[in-house]
Amino acid sequence: LEQLLSDRITSDSEIKPLEPLIKIGNEESIFCAKGEISLITGQAKTGKTTTISFILATALIPKIESDLDTLQIKSTYCEGKKLVYIDTEQPKFQTKNLGKQVCKIIGVEKIPQNIFL
């Protein structure tokens, strides 16, 4: 009960604002914030893997050029930090294809060393 009460939010609670890591669309649409866990779920063939590839790719680009089509997905630049991708459904072959798709978006031949697929 003490733990529950210590996390209770009241009018007097001091809560830090969200630190966005991934935005989709306009600047107000935060998909993922620092310290939070975000999931992408949905029916088969609805674009989940494509969405993930743009999330990973935009995290690897220091400055996203305006002419690069990213489906309006903008991740905070990872500055060489590790990016971890976990998929509980796809076989390794599909996961490697995701890595290839990220490479194509960012214009490199090999999967960057800081991505863990």
Side-chain angles (χ1 to χ4, degrees), residues 40 47-57 60 83-87 90-106 111-112 115-117:
I40 295 179
K48 298 180 299 290
T49 302
T50 299
T51 301
I52 295 280
S53 67
F54 281 105
I55 289 171
L56 290 171
L60 294 163
L83 300 174
V84 179
Y85 168 74
I86 299 170
D87 191 319
Q90 297 294 330
K92 289 181 180 183
F93 177 82
Q94 291 297 95
T95 300
K96 186 167 183 183
N97 282 341
L98 172 99
K100 289 178 183 180
Q101 190 173 0
V102 169
C103 290
K104 184 177 177 182
I105 295 166
I106 64 174
I111 297 170
I115 294 181
F116 291 82
L117 301 175

Side-chain angles (χ1 to χ4, degrees), residues 22-42:
I22 303 167
K23 293 181 180 181
I24 300 176
N26 64 41
E27 291 299 309
E28 300 297 319
S29 182
I30 299 171
F31 170 71
C32 179
K34 188 174 183 177
E36 303 294 324
I37 295 175
S38 298
L39 303 172
I40 295 179
T41 64

